[in-house]
Amino acid sequence: MSRKAQAPKGTFDILPADSRARERVESAAAQVFARAGFGRIETPVFEDTDLFHRSVGETTDIVQKEMFTFDDLGGRSITLRPEGTAAVCRAYVEHGMHKLAQPVKLWYSGPFFRYEAPQAGRYRQFHQIGAETIGSDDPLADAEVIMLLSDLLAELEVPGVKLHLASLGSPDVRAEYRNELRTYLREHEDKVSGDVRARIDTNPLRAFDAKDEPTKGVMADAPKLIDRLSGEDLEHFGEVRGLLDAAGIGYEIDPTLVRGLDYYTRTVFAFTAEGLGAQSEIGGGGRYDGLIAELGGPDTPAIGWAAGIERILLALGEPESAERSDVFVAVAEPEQRAAALALANELRHAGLVANLDLAGRSLKGQLKQADRAGARHTVILEGDGRATMRDMESGDQREVDVARLPDELAEAR
Ligand code: HAM
């Protein structure tokens, strides 16, 4: 026998039973965005590799070890998108969106790719919903996008959601702070992990992400960037906090919140949920005031976030979405099968969810099938224009007039 084909490591199929819960998340997001005036954008699933080097950053884990990069047949280096912000900014610059009324508010939903060690909540192909407000440095823009994700998670009833908030200040403050942190890490070099030691020069901030106890101990006493904020950065952060307070959105200041992307400036945030284990972050984002200019556009401040659909579903306990249909059209005699198809079609046109037997089952088999399809009612065509309607829950049966069926079933919904 041939070897059984399998999906690639870290990927999964979305089967019909899983897609109902997913659709609920996507349609809730679409509504939240539409109500807030965000327009949908779709960018290609692959981009020139250079885009991610320039935006996500050379020293990040994503660029160093998590990208699916390959040469296409024309010899161009291509990368499957590991995140969405870079491409949205590329599109903003490419289409001259700075000429539109600012800010431009965009949202997206789709697959992303990272070569990570797979585990619950971490996949090599996963799906994000994301939002970007481009062209405003107003703290209101920060509060608005945070509020959107908070609302979406509340609407979906994700349990145990917590918002973590920090500010990274502007690039020069961060550069100065990075030096201070380097000095501190060198003083404690013997206690931190090899991984952290190797990155003291290139990316000292990542030390806050370390999971080993000795490094965590060292980092607990390390100087914090949030204590170095001053002037306009501090004022901006204070205003964002004030707006969240006024909106009744609870948060926790998290001085160790570092995000795995280099483009962030000022506000950064992450939403976590209960019961997700190591992958507790459901979504996160922040400001990236320098990115558009970095990609060849005018100086344009921006802020956004992305949330993982699989993480949301995990946090919700991925409820088994039982199949539900309004009616199953069964036949007493095989001669009625064409009439059953016509009736199912008519009922579908009337907006009902209608199913029928496609396997030539006996009447008993059809009723069993109706049960499995979660049908509320089964209509049995008896021939001579006669039909019986059976309530699948109570088992009650009665004769019905086929012409009145759409109305009767709609009333019974
Ligand atoms: P990120 O934190 O890298 O940010 O990813 C956002 C979310 O995507 C995470 O919180 C998580 O829920 C989900 N996620 C990331 N990697 C995986 C994975 N391997 N498997 C499953 N889910 C995953 C960004 O991507 C930024 N572009 C967000 C942003 C938008 N910042 C500003 N604008």
Side-chain angles (χ1 to χ4, degrees):
M1 213 167 41
S2 304
R3 192 170 55 86
K4 223 198 257 171
Q6 280 189 330
K9 186 171 177 185
T11 70
F12 52 87
D13 299 306
I14 300 164
L15 302 176
D18 314 321
S19 64
R20 204 71 65 85
R22 236 164 229 278
E23 277 164 18
R24 188 171 85 87
V25 172
E26 282 167 319
S27 77
Q31 281 174 30
V32 163
F33 290 132
R35 290 196 297 252
F38 280 67
R40 183 161 184 170
I41 183 165
E42 284 180 58
T43 61
V45 291
F46 61 84
E47 295 276 348
D48 288 340
T49 300
D50 176 58
L51 176 70
F52 301 113
H53 283 254
R54 284 165 73 183
S55 55
V56 173
E58 299 286 356
T59 63
T60 58
D61 279 350
I62 293 181
V63 166
Q64 286 197 344
K65 48 187 190 197
E66 294 174 0
M67 297 208 301
F68 283 92
T69 297
F70 56 95
D71 283 348
D72 71 7
L73 296 178
R76 296 169 205 89
S77 181
I78 294 292
T79 293
L80 299 185
R81 58 183 187 185
E83 63 99 49
T85 310
V88 170
C89 290
R90 194 244 333 117
Y92 178 94
V93 174
E94 191 168 334
H95 300 287
M97 288 192 229
H98 63 278
K99 294 188 209 113
L100 304 175
Q102 303 294 302
V104 176
K105 304 205 285 188
L106 302 166
W107 75 276
Y108 51 87
S109 172
F112 293 84
F113 308 86
R114 293 184 195 177
Y115 189 80
E116 293 195 83
Q119 52 172 261
R122 197 165 70 193
Y123 311 98
R124 291 187 176 171
Q125 175 171 341
F126 57 99
H127 298 79
Q128 282 186 349
I129 293 169
E132 316 287 354
T133 295
I134 306 179
S136 170
D137 64 1
D138 197 308
L140 270 174
D142 304 47
E144 184 183 52
V145 292
I146 292 172
M147 189 185 272
L148 285 187
L149 183 49
S150 167
D151 275 357
L152 175 62
L153 298 175
E155 195 164 315
L156 292 168
E157 296 178 3
V158 176
V161 172
K162 257 199 197 152
L163 169 60
H164 307 254
L165 186 70
S167 173
L168 302 178
S170 32
D172 42 338
V173 174
R174 200 153 69 246
E176 220 170 278
Y177 166 75
R178 235 185 247 124
N179 278 333
E180 185 184 350
L181 186 60
R182 279 189 191 107
T183 309
Y184 174 82
L185 284 171
R186 281 207 193 89
E187 281 164 11
H188 298 84
E189 214 167 328
D190 51 328
K191 293 190 218 83
V192 300
S193 72
D195 199 30
V196 166
R197 202 176 311 125
R199 283 201 278 188
I200 292 182
D201 280 329
T202 54
N203 200 346
L205 276 148
R206 294 298 291 183
F208 285 109
D209 269 353
K211 302 282 181 277
D212 63 292
E213 289 307 323
T215 309
K216 272 164 65 180
V218 170
M219 297 321 287
D221 296 329
K224 305 288 177 335
L225 175 52
I226 209 156
D227 300 324
R228 300 292 177 267
L229 298 183
S230 63
E232 289 183 7
D233 290 338
L234 195 59
E235 214 173 284
H236 192 275
F237 190 48
E239 284 183 48
V240 172
R241 293 180 57 173
L243 288 164
L244 293 177
D245 291 338
I249 298 177
Y251 57 85
E252 196 175 280
I253 299 292
D254 185 347
T256 66
L257 184 65
V258 273
R259 309 207 17 91
L261 301 128
D262 273 0
Y263 48 62
Y264 289 121
T265 52
R266 292 191 166 173
T267 313
V268 285
F269 57 94
F271 282 85
T272 55
E274 251 164 26
L276 285 185
Q279 309 305 317
S280 65
E281 193 187 296
I282 248 187
R287 268 204 169 275
Y288 47 94
D289 291 344
L291 183 55
I292 302 268
E294 188 66 39
L295 298 177
D299 258 331
T300 312
I303 181 159
W305 53 258
I309 296 184
E310 289 76 20
R311 301 240 176 122
I312 293 177
L313 292 174
L314 265 180
L316 287 172
E318 267 177 294
E320 269 295 313
S321 46
E323 289 287 321
R324 238 10 219 151
S325 73
D326 295 307
V327 57
F328 190 96
V329 184
V331 295
E333 302 296 335
E335 298 77 61
Q336 297 296 315
R337 297 183 75 207
L341 179 61
L343 178 60
N345 197 34
E346 189 191 328
L347 296 172
R348 289 169 186 167
H349 280 291
L352 295 156
V353 180
N355 245 315
L356 75 164
D357 172 53
L358 300 174
R361 292 181 178 83
S362 67
L363 183 56
K364 200 169 147 212
Q366 293 176 64
L367 288 174
K368 212 161 143 195
Q369 187 65 10
D371 224 18
R372 290 176 70 179
R376 280 165 209 230
H377 293 92
T378 298
V379 171
I380 305 161
L381 298 184
E382 317 270 6
D384 314 327
R386 284 184 310 116
T388 307
M389 184 157 95
R390 180 186 175 92
D391 182 318
M392 296 302 283
E393 219 160 86
S394 63
D396 293 347
Q397 273 190 204
R398 63 186 168 87
E399 283 243 341
V400 280
D401 175 358
V402 174
R404 282 220 3 99
L405 264 179
D407 289 340
E408 286 212 25
L409 287 166
E411 276 163 28
R413 266 190 138 179

